[in-house]
Amino acid sequence: MKHAGKARLGGLFVLFLVTSVFFFWESTRAQSGSSLDLITPGVQLMNYYYDYNNPAIGHRIYQHVFKNGAYQEAWRSGPLPYQAPDLPGHASVRIGDIDNDGQREVVASNYYVTLREKVKRTLVDHTDFRICVYKNGCVNEAVLGDMNLIVSPPLGEIEGTIIIDSAIGDADNGSVGEPHNELVLARTFQVDIWRYSSPGTYETIGRVSGYLRNVEIGDADNDGKNEIVCTSQGSCFPVIFKQDELGQWYKMSVEALGSQYFGPGHTYLDLFYAKVREADNDGQKEIIACGNNGRLMVWKYDKANAAWTINFIGDYLGVNTAGAIDAGDIDGLGRNEILLSVWGERKYSPRIYRYSYDWTSHKYILVASYISPNSVGDLVLGDLDGDKKPEVGLNRGTSGLYVFGFSGANLAQVYTAPSEAGKIEIK
C-alpha cells in the first residue's frame, strides 16, 4: 500500500480551573518488571505515543491508572513490532475481550512503513498493517518473544489505505448466550472486520465514499443487536452497517443533515465523531455526533419508519470545528449529560461544552462551558479513581494526554502524559 502523505453563552460561562494537582511524566513511570494488569477492578486509560524528538524510543502503547491515591503510568509496551523507529506509523488502541476467553486484552491496530523510496524526486512510503494483542500479564516493555504478546501476520497492502480507528465488540451479533467479539477497523475508505484466531480471519464488510473518521459498535436502534456506526468526510449523516439474517452486511437508512446546518463557508459536512450513548435518559440509546459545523447533533431511531431521524441540532457555537464528544453521568447524580469539545479560532478560546436533556422543552440545553487551553483531538469519559463520577480524558495530540475531574462546577486537571494525535481508550 502507498501512503503519501454565536451564539454567545452569557451567564452560562464557567471558568476552566487549572488545578495545582499535576503529576509530571517522569515521576510516574512504570516500574521495571511490572506487567499488564487488566483483571484488577478499575478503569484504565490507554494511548499511543511516538516522540518525534527522540525516535529511538520507538512507537509504543501506554496504560495509565489511578492506584494508591495517584494517577500513574502502570505499563508500557516495547517498541511496536515491525515499526522502524525512524519511519512513520501509528496505532489505534482498544481494550476488549478479542479472543473471547473471558478476559480483556489490549489490542493495537498498527500501520507501519515497510519501504521508503524516492520516485521522481518524491519520497513514497509503502505501508502495511498488523494487529498486536497484549494479553493480561504481558511484561512491561514487552517485545516479540513474550508469550502474552500475539502479533498477526501482515494483513495486506491496499493502495492509499491506512487505519484511522478501531473498535472491539460483538459486531455481527453471535448467537444468544455466546457473544463473540470482533475487531472493527476504519481504514480510510472501507470498514473491515478482524476475528481473533490462528492466524486470524479478515474481511471487508463495506465501503464509504469519504475518508473515514471514527468507528463505533453499539445497539443504536435498541433492538438488542449491535450495529457498526461510522463517520466520514463529506457525509451529512452517520453511516450505519448491520448484518442481516443471511449474514450479509448492509447500510441502514439515516436522515441527512440539511445544508443550512453546515458550518459558515462550508459546502459539505465533515462528521468527526458519532458515538452510541444513552443521552436523554429515556432508557434508549441515541447517536450523538459532532463535526466541522460547530454544533451538537443527535440522531434517534424511528422504529415506525425503520430509519434514524435527526432528533436535535444545537445552535452554532461560534467556531466551525467541534472536535470530539462523549456522554455519561458527569456529576454522579444519575443522569447522563454530553460533553462536546470545540476548537478555537482567532480570539475565541477552545472550549468544552456541557449539555443536559430537558424533558420540559424536549431539547438538549447548554448548561456550562469550560475554557480549554488547547484544541482537543479526542474526548472520553470513565471513572478512573473509583469515586462514582467519570473523569474526562482528553487527547491533545503532541500537546499531550490530559485527565480532568469535576471539582464542584469546574474541571480540574489531575494528570498529564505525552501523547500522539489519535484516539484514546478509557475502559
Side-chain angles (χ1 to χ4, degrees):
M1 143 177 79
K2 297 180 180 177
H3 174 55
K6 241 189 211 155
R8 296 290 182 180
L9 297 178
L12 291 177
F13 175 78
V14 180
L15 182 63
F16 192 86
L17 175 65
V18 179
T19 183
S20 60
V21 183
F22 187 85
F23 294 90
F24 287 98
W25 177 254
E26 293 298 328
S27 66
T28 57
R29 286 183 178 271
Q31 297 300 312
S32 176
S34 61
S35 60
L36 179 63
D37 181 5
L38 296 169
I39 295 180
T40 300
V43 173
Q44 48 266 304
L45 177 61
M46 307 293 303
N47 75 311
Y48 157 84
Y49 178 54
Y50 175 74
D51 187 349
Y52 290 93
N53 295 318
N54 190 6
I57 293 175
H59 306 255
R60 294 172 181 256
I61 308 302
Y62 295 84
Q63 178 196 39
H64 311 272
V65 301
F66 184 85
K67 185 177 180 180
N68 298 326
Y71 293 91
Q72 56 194 276
E73 178 198 310
W75 174 88
R76 70 177 67 173
S77 73
L80 293 175
Y82 306 104
Q83 289 199 354
D86 58 341
L87 291 177
H90 202 275
S92 175
V93 188
R94 293 292 177 250
I95 302 172
D97 184 9
I98 190 60
D99 61 359
N100 299 286
D101 66 349
Q103 294 185 1
R104 298 184 301 171
E105 291 80 35
V106 172
V107 181
S109 308
N110 317 316
Y111 78 82
Y112 57 96
V113 173
T114 59
L115 173 67
R116 170 171 280 183
E117 62 179 348
K118 184 171 289 188
V119 178
K120 296 181 179 180
R121 298 183 180 180
T122 300
L123 282 178
V124 176
D125 287 342
H126 300 262
T127 64
D128 208 329
F129 78 103
R130 296 177 189 251
I131 309 299
C132 296
V133 179
Y134 297 90
K135 297 178 70 67
N136 191 71
C138 204
V139 301
N140 192 51
E141 302 279 356
V143 294
L144 286 174
D146 187 307
M147 64 179 295
N148 291 312
L149 169 58
I150 293 90
V151 181
S152 77
L155 294 175
E157 297 185 285
I158 301 175
E159 186 172 353
T161 300
I162 60 174
I163 295 172
I164 310 300
D165 194 14
S166 64
I168 298 174
D170 187 7
D172 61 2
N173 300 290
S175 59
V176 176
E178 297 179 3
H180 192 282
N181 290 335
E182 294 84 29
L183 175 68
V184 179
L185 301 167
R187 290 191 64 199
T188 307
F189 303 110
Q190 67 185 47
V191 179
D192 301 328
I193 287 183
W194 184 76
R195 294 176 176 85
Y196 182 96
S197 59
S198 184
T201 59
Y202 175 70
E203 66 174 310
T204 297
I205 68 165
R207 291 181 169 84
V208 296
S209 58
Y211 182 91
L212 280 165
R213 295 298 191 185
N214 92 298
V215 63
E216 173 98 345
I217 301 171
D219 182 11
D221 62 1
N222 301 286
D223 69 346
K225 296 183 178 180
N226 287 333
E227 292 78 41
I228 297 173
V229 180
C230 307
T231 59
S232 65
Q233 186 179 42
S235 176
C236 301
F237 51 86
V239 178
I240 303 175
F241 294 92
K242 190 159 188 167
Q243 191 178 74
D244 63 22
E245 295 179 354
L246 299 177
Q248 301 298 312
W249 293 91
Y250 65 97
K251 292 180 183 179
M252 302 190 74
S253 178
V254 186
E255 181 182 2
L257 196 74
S259 60
Q260 68 269 31
Y261 298 110
F262 294 177
H266 287 176
T267 58
Y268 66 93
L269 175 63
D270 192 353
L271 278 182
F272 294 143
Y273 276 90
K275 293 185 176 180
V276 180
R277 297 290 186 269
E278 162 61 295
D280 61 8
N281 302 287
D282 68 347
Q284 303 288 300
K285 293 180 179 179
E286 293 77 38
I287 297 175
I288 58 174
C290 64
N292 69 341
N293 61 347
R295 301 172 184 269
L296 169 65
M297 295 164 283
V298 181
W299 276 263
K300 200 173 184 74
Y301 189 70
D302 181 356
K303 188 174 181 180
N305 294 307
W308 275 268
T309 58
I310 297 171
N311 177 251
F312 179 79
I313 303 171
D315 292 334
Y316 178 64
L317 294 172
V319 293
N320 275 341
T321 304
I325 192 170
D326 206 350
D329 183 9
I330 295 165
D331 53 15
L333 298 179
R335 289 176 55 86
N336 285 349
E337 296 178 298
I338 296 172
L339 288 184
L340 173 67
S341 73
V342 173
W343 294 7
E345 293 180 2
R346 297 188 178 94
K347 297 181 180 180
Y348 196 80
S349 301
R351 297 169 187 258
I352 295 174
Y353 292 97
R354 180 176 174 181
Y355 289 86
S356 183
Y357 189 78
D358 178 65
W359 277 94
T360 300
S361 63
H362 298 286
K363 294 181 179 180
Y364 292 88
I365 304 299
L366 185 55
V367 295
S369 73
Y370 312 90
I371 293 177
S372 176
N374 297 95
S375 298
V376 175
D378 196 7
L379 182 155
V380 292
L381 295 174
D383 184 11
L384 283 162
D385 62 8
D387 67 351
K388 309 302 181 182
K389 295 188 296 183
E391 279 67 51
V392 184
L394 304 177
N395 189 19
R396 295 184 173 130
T398 55
S399 296
L401 170 70
Y402 291 78
V403 176
F404 291 84
F406 277 91
S407 176
N410 296 316
L411 278 178
Q413 181 179 305
V414 294
Y415 182 69
T416 187
S419 191
E420 179 56 43
K423 310 300 173 62
I424 54 179
E425 176 82 311
I426 189 167
K427 188 175 289 186

